[in-house]
Amino acid sequence: VEYAYAKTREGYPDVFESCLCDAMRTMAKPFVKHTCTDEVRSYRTIEATLEMIARLLNLENAPVSARILAAEALRAFASAHGTRPDKIDVDAEMFDAKGRANAAASLGASLGGLGSAPKVSPHHQFFTNQRLVRGSEACVPQLVSGLGRATSERAPDAELQLAIAKALLEASHYDKNAQSMAAHGLFANIVPLVKNITDMKSPFAPVVSELMWNALEASPGAKVLPYGGWRPFCVHLSDFIALAVRQSHGCAHKEIRNELLIIARVMAEEPDTRAGLRACGLAAVALEMAVHPENGQRANELVLPVFAQTTSAEDFQMKRFAWTLTTTLAEDTQGIAVAKSGFIECLLTFLRPLTGEYVPPPLTLPSSNSDTGVNRWGPERLRDLQELALRLLARLAPLCPNEMIAGGACDAVVQIARVDSPADDFLRAAALDLGAKLATLDGFKDVLGEFGAVEAALSAFEGVDRLGRASSNAYASSYDGGSRGESRYYGAEETAGGAGTLYGGAETAPLRPSVSEDPVKLGAAGLLSVLCHEHAVNARYLRKADGINILKAAVDAMANTDKAVPINFGAAALTAVWKCVVPDAKNCAHFIAGGGMESLLNLLSRCNANLRPVTLSLLADVLENPKTHLFFHEWRSTGGSRSLVPAGASATTLVLNVWRSAEAALGVTNGDGVIANRANPLAGDSSKSRPFDEAEAISGATYTVLTRGRLENEVKAAAAAKRDGADGLMSRVFAVCSLLGFGNLREYCGRVDELTLFTVERYVDFKEGEVWERTKEIFENEGLVPTGPDRQVMDEAIVTARMTAAELADAQRSIVNGDTRKATAEEVAYYEEKSTQAAADEAARWYKPDRSKLTTKERYRSQLLKDTMLSNSFKAPTRQSSLLLPGV
């Protein structure tokens, strides 16, 4: 074959045409395995053979017939000779080149014992061939460049172009091959093929659309076209989509049309490509599909024919894809005019059935019995379109606020978010998200507040309507795996009668938070946080609607349940308290007077560790008012297995225990409370820190076999996260203690807390020294030398921090030594008293002179001595001593 290649380049293609054709036909046949080791020993040979076949596509003077056969040979090999599965639902990375399950996939089977060995993939040959195509590094680039050559010849051969396109399509089913195609200019070379498609019956239409789909799916970066190359691609892609919309009569053509809409939407995510697609007229086509016939007007049949306006599954998908494409094309200041041309109004029209507004009667299309308007879609499809409309409106809201107000978006949000609305949970969550997006725009807080958004969000957060009735509009969709008609209650408690009682609903309902992430409550908390933050009117609405007690009940619910409370819900509830209650003086006073300080401290003592930073920040903001300090000092712990402090402990001990947990993670102190690292106290001593579990380093990972390098990176990342988390806790504890006053706290704490308080008080000095240490290290690594005053300031700060650390360590050591000496003296005195009592007890049992038995008089006297001894040796416990706690 190489000899034939050389002679063809020399100018003898006709002589060697039949030879090359016969060779390519031979290469298209399956390889036969003669021995069991052929699969391993022949891989490199096969890769070299594939590269040799691909070179024929770009060989000078190569006959067209041979090039067609070469492309067909590559296509046959890439498809494993027609054994490619119709729907590839098996991850290629789950099997190695021999078709055996890799370590991650086979671990569970390997632990299963005998008979559970990993099975060979049913698509073993297909994945093996795809990897061999990728292993032949020049095969895919030769295919791409061969396509470019075939389309740029003076007399292009359509059969050759189609053969190469099909070979590329078969190879693109493997992600790495598709990525290589995109990197070597597939989209630039495919433009002539797209340009030449003038009919949907063309064999190029399905091949080109699927090839572009595979390349974009495997390589999202391919949507960034080279400079100057976006215009021809955008022109011909827009024409192809317009052609597909006009000529999509059957289901197969409609599926191609929908694929092209997705491709255009992905490409439009890149700003330059988005502008190019708009300039080439795609926005007008997408808008025509998006708004007709729901806007009550007849569509331009030259753009959107009648057979594309049905309610079939394919046209329903077209409507969804047209909406997302129109939104993407309009998602900047230059393109927002597309959305203002009736698209916003169309989306809001779909929300009218949820708000109780009147929907105009549907029209009838000529030559069709299908209804236009919103009512033409069935209940399930209408519901999906309504949720999509809410999500898209949230994306467009910042760019067209006036249209949102004019179209009644604020009123729609409030009506849909209410508990008594006909919308299900996911629709209400989408409406709440839209409301939160609108509330960030200028002037929308006032409008939403007037429409009752605060009350609607509170009812959604609490889960009951104005009459105290629990919501029952949970929707079981494909998102949660439920079936139609199956009710789903977030946070419901199953009672004896089988009825679900929502948290916060009736007066007898127990305080229980969501058992899973409830999108409605998360959205309600987010909307409340935005509406009431720095807005006095909405904060008053919240207070009048009993929102303070509702938010406090949510905090109590998190504290009264186990640590399985969803983190997102807990963080959202605390953020709502932070934004809605703390900044407003009256709201904060109502919250504290109603037991809010107790609720926050109870939560801090029992909550998940991930919620401690936000809880401490919230406490710090509350404690900025000196009138709240008394409530802090009056708190006492109720204890419990999950509490950070024992029963009866003070809030000071609780906050310092949070600090000690951060100290233990970094090894800041020794076991006796004295700082361990005098040079950099906050860095701690690794030998004093908690044992680090490598399994915990890989958060969220399954039990897999990791390479040494990856494991080290994961461990380093987890250690950095551990340090950042501890430092975040320390800074917040310092803020709380500094607001309360370190002198005041010493009056309420014992010796152990006093030692910790010394370290907390000097946190800023230590942090300043640590920052300058890092700055100095950065300068040294980069070869920079600070000059004059800068170096002096840096050195003085570092020296001051180290001297402060040394003084603190000496003071702490002195206190610890004093306590140790005192404890030792008390222990010696105790044992001396015990020894004296034991000696007196032994002496009282015998008569000294001759150690004979005692007389009756002597026994009576001995009994009196013994009673006296016992009365002096044992004392009944008092009520005061029983209340003392160790370490407090």
Side-chain angles (χ1 to χ4, degrees), residues 355-381:
T355 60
E357 292 186 27
Y358 172 73
V359 181
L363 302 175
T364 302
L365 289 174
S367 69
S368 175
N369 294 325
S370 300
D371 290 334
T372 63
V374 175
N375 295 332
R376 72 195 189 104
W377 302 105
E380 294 185 5
R381 290 179 177 176

PDB file of all heavy atoms in Angstrom, residues 355-381:
ATOM      1  N   THR A 355     -53.003  32.225  37.528  1.00  0.00           N
ATOM      2  CA  THR A 355     -53.377  33.410  38.302  1.00  0.00           C
ATOM      3  C   THR A 355     -54.873  33.656  38.320  1.00  0.00           C
ATOM      4  O   THR A 355     -55.331  34.608  38.958  1.00  0.00           O
ATOM      5  CB  THR A 355     -52.674  34.646  37.722  1.00  0.00           C
ATOM      6  OG1 THR A 355     -53.089  34.818  36.354  1.00  0.00           O
ATOM      7  CG2 THR A 355     -51.160  34.475  37.755  1.00  0.00           C
ATOM      8  N   GLY A 356     -55.634  32.835  37.606  1.00  0.00           N
ATOM      9  CA  GLY A 356     -57.076  33.015  37.563  1.00  0.00           C
ATOM     10  C   GLY A 356     -57.534  34.059  36.585  1.00  0.00           C
ATOM     11  O   GLY A 356     -58.718  34.435  36.588  1.00  0.00           O
ATOM     12  N   GLU A 357     -56.623  34.556  35.739  1.00  0.00           N
ATOM     13  CA  GLU A 357     -57.024  35.557  34.762  1.00  0.00           C
ATOM     14  C   GLU A 357     -57.768  34.903  33.602  1.00  0.00           C
ATOM     15  O   GLU A 357     -57.648  33.711  33.336  1.00  0.00           O
ATOM     16  CB  GLU A 357     -55.788  36.298  34.229  1.00  0.00           C
ATOM     17  CG  GLU A 357     -55.106  37.165  35.266  1.00  0.00           C
ATOM     18  CD  GLU A 357     -53.991  37.971  34.641  1.00  0.00           C
ATOM     19  OE1 GLU A 357     -54.076  38.255  33.432  1.00  0.00           O
ATOM     20  OE2 GLU A 357     -53.042  38.318  35.366  1.00  0.00           O
ATOM     21  N   TYR A 358     -58.488  35.729  32.869  1.00  0.00           N
ATOM     22  CA  TYR A 358     -59.243  35.259  31.716  1.00  0.00           C
ATOM     23  C   TYR A 358     -58.285  34.996  30.553  1.00  0.00           C
ATOM     24  O   TYR A 358     -57.443  35.818  30.222  1.00  0.00           O
ATOM     25  CB  TYR A 358     -60.276  36.305  31.293  1.00  0.00           C
ATOM     26  CG  TYR A 358     -60.970  35.990  29.983  1.00  0.00           C
ATOM     27  CD1 TYR A 358     -61.925  34.972  29.913  1.00  0.00           C
ATOM     28  CD2 TYR A 358     -60.661  36.711  28.837  1.00  0.00           C
ATOM     29  CE1 TYR A 358     -62.549  34.692  28.711  1.00  0.00           C
ATOM     30  CE2 TYR A 358     -61.292  36.438  27.635  1.00  0.00           C
ATOM     31  CZ  TYR A 358     -62.236  35.423  27.579  1.00  0.00           C
ATOM     32  OH  TYR A 358     -62.856  35.134  26.399  1.00  0.00           O
ATOM     33  N   VAL A 359     -58.411  33.807  29.950  1.00  0.00           N
ATOM     34  CA  VAL A 359     -57.616  33.445  28.790  1.00  0.00           C
ATOM     35  C   VAL A 359     -58.508  33.504  27.568  1.00  0.00           C
ATOM     36  O   VAL A 359     -59.569  32.870  27.549  1.00  0.00           O
ATOM     37  CB  VAL A 359     -57.014  32.025  28.954  1.00  0.00           C
ATOM     38  CG1 VAL A 359     -56.175  31.672  27.743  1.00  0.00           C
ATOM     39  CG2 VAL A 359     -56.193  31.954  30.223  1.00  0.00           C
ATOM     40  N   PRO A 360     -58.124  34.249  26.540  1.00  0.00           N
ATOM     41  CA  PRO A 360     -58.993  34.360  25.353  1.00  0.00           C
ATOM     42  C   PRO A 360     -59.280  32.996  24.756  1.00  0.00           C
ATOM     43  O   PRO A 360     -58.447  32.086  24.827  1.00  0.00           O
ATOM     44  CB  PRO A 360     -58.162  35.232  24.404  1.00  0.00           C
ATOM     45  CG  PRO A 360     -57.194  35.941  25.282  1.00  0.00           C
ATOM     46  CD  PRO A 360     -56.901  35.030  26.422  1.00  0.00           C
ATOM     47  N   PRO A 361     -60.453  32.832  24.153  1.00  0.00           N
ATOM     48  CA  PRO A 361     -60.767  31.546  23.539  1.00  0.00           C
ATOM     49  C   PRO A 361     -59.838  31.267  22.374  1.00  0.00           C
ATOM     50  O   PRO A 361     -59.380  32.185  21.700  1.00  0.00           O
ATOM     51  CB  PRO A 361     -62.208  31.723  23.080  1.00  0.00           C
ATOM     52  CG  PRO A 361     -62.376  33.190  22.920  1.00  0.00           C
ATOM     53  CD  PRO A 361     -61.521  33.813  23.980  1.00  0.00           C
ATOM     54  N   PRO A 362     -59.531  29.990  22.144  1.00  0.00           N
ATOM     55  CA  PRO A 362     -58.587  29.659  21.075  1.00  0.00           C
ATOM     56  C   PRO A 362     -59.191  29.909  19.706  1.00  0.00           C
ATOM     57  O   PRO A 362     -60.391  29.842  19.505  1.00  0.00           O
ATOM     58  CB  PRO A 362     -58.322  28.175  21.301  1.00  0.00           C
ATOM     59  CG  PRO A 362     -59.548  27.676  21.983  1.00  0.00           C
ATOM     60  CD  PRO A 362     -60.021  28.810  22.850  1.00  0.00           C
ATOM     61  N   LEU A 363     -58.299  30.200  18.771  1.00  0.00           N
ATOM     62  CA  LEU A 363     -58.693  30.342  17.381  1.00  0.00           C
ATOM     63  C   LEU A 363     -58.538  29.003  16.684  1.00  0.00           C
ATOM     64  O   LEU A 363     -57.970  28.062  17.229  1.00  0.00           O
ATOM     65  CB  LEU A 363     -57.816  31.393  16.696  1.00  0.00           C
ATOM     66  CG  LEU A 363     -57.832  32.800  17.321  1.00  0.00           C
ATOM     67  CD1 LEU A 363     -56.827  33.684  16.593  1.00  0.00           C
ATOM     68  CD2 LEU A 363     -59.218  33.421  17.259  1.00  0.00           C
ATOM     69  N   THR A 364     -59.019  28.926  15.465  1.00  0.00           N
ATOM     70  CA  THR A 364     -58.872  27.705  14.685  1.00  0.00           C
ATOM     71  C   THR A 364     -58.023  28.000  13.461  1.00  0.00           C
ATOM     72  O   THR A 364     -58.285  28.956  12.727  1.00  0.00           O
ATOM     73  CB  THR A 364     -60.241  27.175  14.249  1.00  0.00           C
ATOM     74  OG1 THR A 364     -61.020  26.957  15.410  1.00  0.00           O
ATOM     75  CG2 THR A 364     -60.090  25.876  13.486  1.00  0.00           C
ATOM     76  N   LEU A 365     -57.007  27.194  13.258  1.00  0.00           N
ATOM     77  CA  LEU A 365     -56.126  27.392  12.123  1.00  0.00           C
ATOM     78  C   LEU A 365     -56.820  26.980  10.838  1.00  0.00           C
ATOM     79  O   LEU A 365     -57.599  26.028  10.833  1.00  0.00           O
ATOM     80  CB  LEU A 365     -54.861  26.543  12.297  1.00  0.00           C
ATOM     81  CG  LEU A 365     -53.884  27.014  13.382  1.00  0.00           C
ATOM     82  CD1 LEU A 365     -52.806  25.989  13.512  1.00  0.00           C
ATOM     83  CD2 LEU A 365     -53.300  28.350  13.036  1.00  0.00           C
ATOM     84  N   PRO A 366     -56.562  27.633   9.757  1.00  0.00           N
ATOM     85  CA  PRO A 366     -57.113  27.175   8.481  1.00  0.00           C
ATOM     86  C   PRO A 366     -56.522  25.836   8.100  1.00  0.00           C
ATOM     87  O   PRO A 366     -55.351  25.576   8.334  1.00  0.00           O
ATOM     88  CB  PRO A 366     -56.675  28.283   7.509  1.00  0.00           C
ATOM     89  CG  PRO A 366     -55.493  28.920   8.148  1.00  0.00           C
ATOM     90  CD  PRO A 366     -55.732  28.843   9.610  1.00  0.00           C
ATOM     91  N   SER A 367     -57.334  25.011   7.522  1.00  0.00           N
ATOM     92  CA  SER A 367     -56.945  23.658   7.085  1.00  0.00           C
ATOM     93  C   SER A 367     -56.405  22.825   8.231  1.00  0.00           C
ATOM     94  O   SER A 367     -55.565  21.973   8.048  1.00  0.00           O
ATOM     95  CB  SER A 367     -55.900  23.735   5.963  1.00  0.00           C
ATOM     96  OG  SER A 367     -54.658  24.237   6.473  1.00  0.00           O
ATOM     97  N   SER A 368     -56.850  23.085   9.445  1.00  0.00           N
ATOM     98  CA  SER A 368     -56.404  22.287  10.586  1.00  0.00           C
ATOM     99  C   SER A 368     -57.449  22.379  11.679  1.00  0.00           C
ATOM    100  O   SER A 368     -58.129  23.382  11.830  1.00  0.00           O
ATOM    101  CB  SER A 368     -55.048  22.789  11.101  1.00  0.00           C
ATOM    102  OG  SER A 368     -54.685  22.085  12.262  1.00  0.00           O
ATOM    103  N   ASN A 369     -57.549  21.307  12.456  1.00  0.00           N
ATOM    104  CA  ASN A 369     -58.507  21.282  13.559  1.00  0.00           C
ATOM    105  C   ASN A 369     -57.842  21.566  14.902  1.00  0.00           C
ATOM    106  O   ASN A 369     -58.476  21.461  15.945  1.00  0.00           O
ATOM    107  CB  ASN A 369     -59.203  19.918  13.607  1.00  0.00           C
ATOM    108  CG  ASN A 369     -60.075  19.702  12.383  1.00  0.00           C
ATOM    109  OD1 ASN A 369     -60.671  20.635  11.862  1.00  0.00           O
ATOM    110  ND2 ASN A 369     -60.127  18.458  11.918  1.00  0.00           N
ATOM    111  N   SER A 370     -56.537  21.842  14.881  1.00  0.00           N
ATOM    112  CA  SER A 370     -55.825  22.082  16.126  1.00  0.00           C
ATOM    113  C   SER A 370     -56.173  23.452  16.673  1.00  0.00           C
ATOM    114  O   SER A 370     -56.343  24.418  15.917  1.00  0.00           O
ATOM    115  CB  SER A 370     -54.316  21.985  15.893  1.00  0.00           C
ATOM    116  OG  SER A 370     -53.983  20.698  15.424  1.00  0.00           O
ATOM    117  N   ASP A 371     -56.286  23.542  17.985  1.00  0.00           N
ATOM    118  CA  ASP A 371     -56.558  24.813  18.639  1.00  0.00           C
ATOM    119  C   ASP A 371     -55.265  25.583  18.841  1.00  0.00           C
ATOM    120  O   ASP A 371     -54.220  25.012  19.124  1.00  0.00           O
ATOM    121  CB  ASP A 371     -57.226  24.589  19.992  1.00  0.00           C
ATOM    122  CG  ASP A 371     -58.635  24.078  19.828  1.00  0.00           C
ATOM    123  OD1 ASP A 371     -59.229  24.361  18.775  1.00  0.00           O
ATOM    124  OD2 ASP A 371     -59.122  23.393  20.739  1.00  0.00           O
ATOM    125  N   THR A 372     -55.353  26.882  18.710  1.00  0.00           N
ATOM    126  CA  THR A 372     -54.221  27.730  19.046  1.00  0.00           C
ATOM    127  C   THR A 372     -54.396  28.230  20.456  1.00  0.00           C
ATOM    128  O   THR A 372     -55.379  27.963  21.125  1.00  0.00           O
ATOM    129  CB  THR A 372     -54.140  28.913  18.076  1.00  0.00           C
ATOM    130  OG1 THR A 372     -55.315  29.699  18.230  1.00  0.00           O
ATOM    131  CG2 THR A 372     -54.029  28.429  16.645  1.00  0.00           C
ATOM    132  N   GLY A 373     -53.447  29.003  20.907  1.00  0.00           N
ATOM    133  CA  GLY A 373     -53.536  29.554  22.248  1.00  0.00           C
ATOM    134  C   GLY A 373     -53.029  28.589  23.291  1.00  0.00           C
ATOM    135  O   GLY A 373     -52.609  27.459  23.019  1.00  0.00           O
ATOM    136  N   VAL A 374     -53.079  29.057  24.531  1.00  0.00           N
ATOM    137  CA  VAL A 374     -52.558  28.265  25.648  1.00  0.00           C
ATOM    138  C   VAL A 374     -53.358  26.993  25.842  1.00  0.00           C
ATOM    139  O   VAL A 374     -52.821  25.940  26.217  1.00  0.00           O
ATOM    140  CB  VAL A 374     -52.563  29.130  26.917  1.00  0.00           C
ATOM    141  CG1 VAL A 374     -52.154  28.322  28.123  1.00  0.00           C
ATOM    142  CG2 VAL A 374     -51.661  30.339  26.737  1.00  0.00           C
ATOM    143  N   ASN A 375     -54.650  27.038  25.592  1.00  0.00           N
ATOM    144  CA  ASN A 375     -55.520  25.903  25.898  1.00  0.00           C
ATOM    145  C   ASN A 375     -55.289  24.689  25.007  1.00  0.00           C
ATOM    146  O   ASN A 375     -55.822  23.616  25.287  1.00  0.00           O
ATOM    147  CB  ASN A 375     -56.985  26.325  25.791  1.00  0.00           C
ATOM    148  CG  ASN A 375     -57.349  27.357  26.833  1.00  0.00           C
ATOM    149  OD1 ASN A 375     -56.745  27.394  27.901  1.00  0.00           O
ATOM    150  ND2 ASN A 375     -58.316  28.209  26.535  1.00  0.00           N
ATOM    151  N   ARG A 376     -54.515  24.852  23.949  1.00  0.00           N
ATOM    152  CA  ARG A 376     -54.361  23.723  23.041  1.00  0.00           C
ATOM    153  C   ARG A 376     -53.441  22.655  23.613  1.00  0.00           C
ATOM    154  O   ARG A 376     -53.459  21.506  23.162  1.00  0.00           O
ATOM    155  CB  ARG A 376     -53.834  24.195  21.686  1.00  0.00           C
ATOM    156  CG  ARG A 376     -52.370  24.636  21.673  1.00  0.00           C
ATOM    157  CD  ARG A 376     -52.057  25.406  20.402  1.00  0.00           C
ATOM    158  NE  ARG A 376     -50.628  25.665  20.259  1.00  0.00           N
ATOM    159  CZ  ARG A 376     -49.822  25.004  19.425  1.00  0.00           C
ATOM    160  NH1 ARG A 376     -50.311  24.054  18.674  1.00  0.00           N
ATOM    161  NH2 ARG A 376     -48.549  25.305  19.349  1.00  0.00           N
ATOM    162  N   TRP A 377     -52.626  22.996  24.595  1.00  0.00           N
ATOM    163  CA  TRP A 377     -51.735  22.014  25.208  1.00  0.00           C
ATOM    164  C   TRP A 377     -52.472  21.282  26.325  1.00  0.00           C
ATOM    165  O   TRP A 377     -53.268  21.859  27.046  1.00  0.00           O
ATOM    166  CB  TRP A 377     -50.489  22.701  25.773  1.00  0.00           C
ATOM    167  CG  TRP A 377     -49.709  23.458  24.752  1.00  0.00           C
ATOM    168  CD1 TRP A 377     -49.652  24.804  24.596  1.00  0.00           C
ATOM    169  CD2 TRP A 377     -48.903  22.910  23.715  1.00  0.00           C
ATOM    170  NE1 TRP A 377     -48.850  25.148  23.549  1.00  0.00           N
ATOM    171  CE2 TRP A 377     -48.370  23.992  22.977  1.00  0.00           C
ATOM    172  CE3 TRP A 377     -48.565  21.610  23.335  1.00  0.00           C
ATOM    173  CZ2 TRP A 377     -47.533  23.815  21.889  1.00  0.00           C
ATOM    174  CZ3 TRP A 377     -47.715  21.434  22.247  1.00  0.00           C
ATOM    175  CH2 TRP A 377     -47.219  22.517  21.543  1.00  0.00           C
ATOM    176  N   GLY A 378     -52.170  20.018  26.486  1.00  0.00           N
ATOM    177  CA  GLY A 378     -52.772  19.253  27.571  1.00  0.00           C
ATOM    178  C   GLY A 378     -52.259  19.714  28.925  1.00  0.00           C
ATOM    179  O   GLY A 378     -51.310  20.493  29.031  1.00  0.00           O
ATOM    180  N   PRO A 379     -52.884  19.233  30.023  1.00  0.00           N
ATOM    181  CA  PRO A 379     -52.497  19.702  31.362  1.00  0.00           C
ATOM    182  C   PRO A 379     -51.021  19.462  31.681  1.00  0.00           C
ATOM    183  O   PRO A 379     -50.357  20.344  32.227  1.00  0.00           O
ATOM    184  CB  PRO A 379     -53.414  18.900  32.289  1.00  0.00           C
ATOM    185  CG  PRO A 379     -54.571  18.505  31.438  1.00  0.00           C
ATOM    186  CD  PRO A 379     -54.038  18.320  30.056  1.00  0.00           C
ATOM    187  N   GLU A 380     -50.504  18.296  31.347  1.00  0.00           N
ATOM    188  CA  GLU A 380     -49.117  17.998  31.706  1.00  0.00           C
ATOM    189  C   GLU A 380     -48.146  18.849  30.896  1.00  0.00           C
ATOM    190  O   GLU A 380     -47.182  19.401  31.444  1.00  0.00           O
ATOM    191  CB  GLU A 380     -48.841  16.516  31.488  1.00  0.00           C
ATOM    192  CG  GLU A 380     -49.631  15.603  32.420  1.00  0.00           C
ATOM    193  CD  GLU A 380     -49.248  14.147  32.252  1.00  0.00           C
ATOM    194  OE1 GLU A 380     -48.304  13.878  31.469  1.00  0.00           O
ATOM    195  OE2 GLU A 380     -49.876  13.291  32.886  1.00  0.00           O
ATOM    196  N   ARG A 381     -48.371  18.957  29.589  1.00  0.00           N
ATOM    197  CA  ARG A 381     -47.475  19.757  28.761  1.00  0.00           C
ATOM    198  C   ARG A 381     -47.602  21.243  29.094  1.00  0.00           C
ATOM    199  O   ARG A 381     -46.599  21.981  29.086  1.00  0.00           O
ATOM    200  CB  ARG A 381     -47.777  19.513  27.289  1.00  0.00           C
ATOM    201  CG  ARG A 381     -47.376  18.116  26.818  1.00  0.00           C
ATOM    202  CD  ARG A 381     -47.706  17.898  25.354  1.00  0.00           C
ATOM    203  NE  ARG A 381     -47.260  16.586  24.916  1.00  0.00           N
ATOM    204  CZ  ARG A 381     -47.484  16.096  23.703  1.00  0.00           C
ATOM    205  NH1 ARG A 381     -48.172  16.821  22.817  1.00  0.00           N
ATOM    206  NH2 ARG A 381     -47.038  14.893  23.369  1.00  0.00           N
TER     207      ARG A 381
END
